[in-house]
Every structure is written in structure tokens, then in C-alpha cells.
């Protein structure tokens, strides 16, 4: 049992890998030492994460300023430039773009931590309750007590966008149900509404930027058609998957699937 517990240890689940002291009396002192080692590892990972975040933030500002200057330079004509100058400007622009992407990746990595999915869903439902009340829509959360590794800012935005859409395109007096549960090493999160549904031929297109199923209603409800496109991008950067299923009682079910412990290469 002691050996199996150690085999499960990963950087993302140190807090959950502690062994109850006195549970195995013969190994009590080893249990104490093992738990202290986990604490030291956790502190070391936190220091590393904080350093990465600080370094990335410090790098982002000068890179952004350089990009602004390059964009400004490239947007105006310079008839006196020779071929070597143009080639140098092109090279600097490309390398600055590569460095900016690297910094963004470092920031994304530093923001990965354990997320309490049920608490996050409750927060989204509370934030969107005033919007739901305007249409007399009932918001219901059916979330198990589960956690996953990811960016809480991005996962919050994902759930918020899905629930907001489910409210906006729902019928007056309808219902929105958010469900989350874990099966093996996967977290499943679904948002179910009682709206008009999405035509089969448009299900793949709804994740395209600026695409709207009903353009007239979209103008009436506001927004620019980026809600589900952003959701799709957040799913992608978390190495997850997303699918649209019909709701047997009418409406749409959008289901997202994530790994419990996501790692970044």
C-alpha cells in the first residue's frame, strides 16, 4: 500500500499524496519523513513556478514594446531602405514573434495548478444568476467534488461562456444544467440548455470566430461571435476535446473532456 501510494506521486498531486501517519505502524517514521519530503518538493515547485511567472512577465513588456515599434515601422513606407535593411527588419520581426510565443507558453505553464471544478462552477452560476433571472431561467449545478490541473482563469472563462450562451439562446422560463464528474482519469463537464438547439449541419461551424447560428438574434443579444471560438481555443490549449450533442428534452448539450492531471511538454 505504501509503495502503491508512492508510485502515484506527480508534481500536480503532491498535496493528495500524503500518507496518514500511524496508518502503518511499522512504517510510521518513514511516513513522517515521506510527508516532509512532499512538503519540500511542493515548496520547490512553487518557487520554480513563481520564478517562471516573474521572468515571463518581465520579458513580456520589452518584447511587446519592440513589436509595437516594428509594426509601426512596417506600416509606413521607407523608400531609402536597401535589401539588407529589409531583410534585417524581417528577421527581427520573426524572432521577436518567436520569443513572444515562448513567453506566452511560460506564462500558461506557470498558471497551471489544481482547480476545484465544483467551486468554479458555483462561482460562474452565481455571477450569471442576474442574467438568468431576466429570462426566468433556472440555473442548476450537478458537480461532483473533483479537481483537475489547468489555468483557473481560462477554465472559468470556458464555463462562463458556455453558460452565458445557454442562457442567451434559451427560451423564457427554460433551464440550464451544468454537470461535472470524473471517470477514470478524465473530467467531463457539460452544459445543457432547453433552447432551440443547433442544426446538425452547423455543429462544426459554431466554433469558428464570428460565426452565428442566428445572425438576427445575435445582433439583438449583443456579442461579436467569439464566445464558442474562445471556448474551443481554451479546450485546445488544455489538450481536451469538445462535442455538441442534442438534448432529448430539447435544446443542446455541449460536453468538454479534460485529463485530470494535464502536463505541459
Amino acid at each position: 500500500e505504501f509503495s502503491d501510494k508512492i508510485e502515484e506521486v506527480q508534481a500536480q498531486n503532491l498535496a493528495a499524496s500524503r500518507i496518514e501517519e500511524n496508518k502503518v505502524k511499522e512504517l510510521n517514521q518513514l511516513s513522517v519523513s515521506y510527508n516532509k519530503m512532499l512538503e519540500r518538493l511542493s515548496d520547490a515547485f512553487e518557487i520554480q513556478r513563481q520564478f517562471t511567472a516573474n521572468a515571463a512577465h518581465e520579458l513580456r513588456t520589452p518584447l511587446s514594446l519592440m513589436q509595437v515599434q516594428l509594426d509601426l515601422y512596417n506600416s509606413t513606407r521607407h523608400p531609402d531602405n536597401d535589401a539588407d535593411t529589409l531583410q534585417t527588419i524581417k528577421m527581427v520581426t520573426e524572432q521577436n514573434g518567436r520569443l513572444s510565443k515562448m513567453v506566452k507558453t511560460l506564462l500558461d505553464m506557470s498558471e497551471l495548478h489544481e482547480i476545484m471544478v465544483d467551486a468554479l462552477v458555483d462561482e460562474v452560476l452565481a455571477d450569471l444568476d442576474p442574467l438568468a433571472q431576466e429570462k426566468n431561467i433556472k440555473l442548476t449545478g450537478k458537480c461532483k467534488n473533483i479537481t483537475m490541473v489547468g489555468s483557473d482563469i481560462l477554465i472559468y472563462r470556458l464555463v462562463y461562456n458556455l453558460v452565458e450562451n445557454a442562457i442567451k439562446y434559451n427560451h423564457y422560463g427554460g433551464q440550464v444544467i451544468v454537470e461535472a464528474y470524473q471517470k477514470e482519469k478524465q473530467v467531463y463537464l457539460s452544459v445543457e440548455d432547453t433552447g432551440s438547439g443547433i442544426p446538425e449541419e452547423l455543429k462544426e461551424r459554431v466554433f469558428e470566430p464570428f460565426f452565428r447560428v442566428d445572425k438576427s438574434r445575435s445582433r439583438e443579444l449583443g456579442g461579436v461571435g467569439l464566445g464558442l471560438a474562445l471556448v474551443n481555443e481554451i479546450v485546445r490549449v488544455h489538450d481536451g476535446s469538445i462535442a455538441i450533442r442534442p438534448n432529448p428534452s430539447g435544446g443542446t448539450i455541449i460536453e468538454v473532456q479534460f485529463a485530470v492531471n494535464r502536463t505541459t511538454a
Side-chain angles (χ1 to χ4, degrees):
E1 182 180 354
F2 193 99
S3 179
D4 289 343
K5 191 74 173 179
I6 294 174
E7 287 291 334
E8 297 173 358
V9 175
Q10 297 184 49
Q12 297 88 358
N13 68 353
L14 293 177
S17 299
R18 290 175 56 87
I19 291 179
E20 290 293 329
E21 297 170 17
N22 299 318
K23 187 175 182 181
V24 184
K25 293 182 179 179
E26 294 80 0
L27 299 176
N28 184 53
Q29 185 54 49
L30 186 56
S31 299
V32 173
S33 299
Y34 166 82
N35 288 336
K36 288 182 178 179
M37 179 193 69
L38 287 183
E39 292 176 5
R40 292 194 298 273
L41 283 172
S42 181
D43 290 342
F45 278 122
E46 178 59 26
I47 291 170
Q48 182 188 47
R49 187 197 66 79
Q50 193 60 52
F51 173 80
T52 302
N54 291 341
H57 278 293
E58 290 296 323
L59 287 168
R60 184 169 59 176
T61 300
L63 287 171
S64 297
L65 289 172
M66 284 191 287
Q67 189 62 53
V68 169
Q69 292 298 320
L70 287 167
D71 290 342
L72 182 61
Y73 186 89
N74 290 328
S75 66
T76 57
R77 296 186 61 186
H78 301 277
D80 296 333
N81 282 350
D82 56 26
D84 289 340
T85 301
L86 292 174
Q87 184 63 29
T88 300
I89 293 295
K90 180 182 178 183
M91 182 272 293
V92 173
T93 301
E94 290 174 352
Q95 295 306 315
N96 192 75
R98 289 182 62 187
L99 285 171
S100 297
K101 288 182 180 178
M102 186 183 302
V103 167
K104 182 180 183 301
T105 299
L106 288 172
L107 283 171
D108 288 342
M109 289 172 62
S110 68
E111 291 172 355
L112 292 179
H113 53 271
E114 196 169 69
I115 302 169
M116 298 178 63
V117 178
D118 53 329
L120 186 145
V121 169
D122 287 344
E123 183 179 352
V124 171
L125 296 183
D127 290 345
L128 285 171
D129 187 59
L131 180 65
Q133 289 184 17
E134 292 178 6
K135 297 180 66 174
N136 194 31
I137 290 174
K138 181 182 179 182
L139 300 181
T140 304
K142 295 182 178 180
C143 301
K144 303 292 185 181
N145 184 21
I146 55 174
T147 61
M148 62 171 283
V149 173
S151 166
D152 60 340
I153 296 173
L154 294 180
I155 298 300
Y156 173 90
R157 177 51 56 184
L158 176 146
V159 178
Y160 187 99
N161 283 10
L162 289 178
V163 176
E164 183 183 40
N165 263 23
I167 295 171
K168 285 184 174 180
Y169 297 97
N170 212 325
H171 299 303
Y172 185 88
Q175 180 170 290
V176 175
I177 299 175
V178 183
E179 183 176 8
Y181 62 93
Q182 180 178 337
K183 185 177 181 182
E184 297 179 349
K185 295 185 177 182
Q186 300 291 316
V187 170
Y188 294 85
L189 188 147
S190 65
V191 177
E192 173 184 335
D193 66 57
T194 52
S196 301
I198 300 172
E200 189 67 32
E201 66 275 13
L202 298 180
K203 285 184 178 179
E204 293 298 322
R205 298 197 60 197
V206 295
F207 298 112
E208 297 175 4
F210 308 111
F211 181 80
R212 296 167 173 179
V213 175
D214 187 336
K215 293 182 173 57
S216 61
R217 283 203 68 200
S218 296
R219 282 192 295 269
E220 175 188 339
L221 296 171
V224 293
L226 289 175
L228 290 182
L230 181 58
V231 165
N232 194 43
E233 183 65 14
I234 293 171
V235 170
R236 185 190 67 79
V237 300
H238 281 80
D239 300 323
S241 61
I242 187 167
I244 299 177
R245 298 189 282 109
N247 186 347
S249 58
T252 302
I253 300 174
I254 297 184
E255 183 179 81
V256 182
Q257 181 179 342
F258 296 113
V260 174
N261 291 318
R262 173 181 178 262
T263 55
T264 304

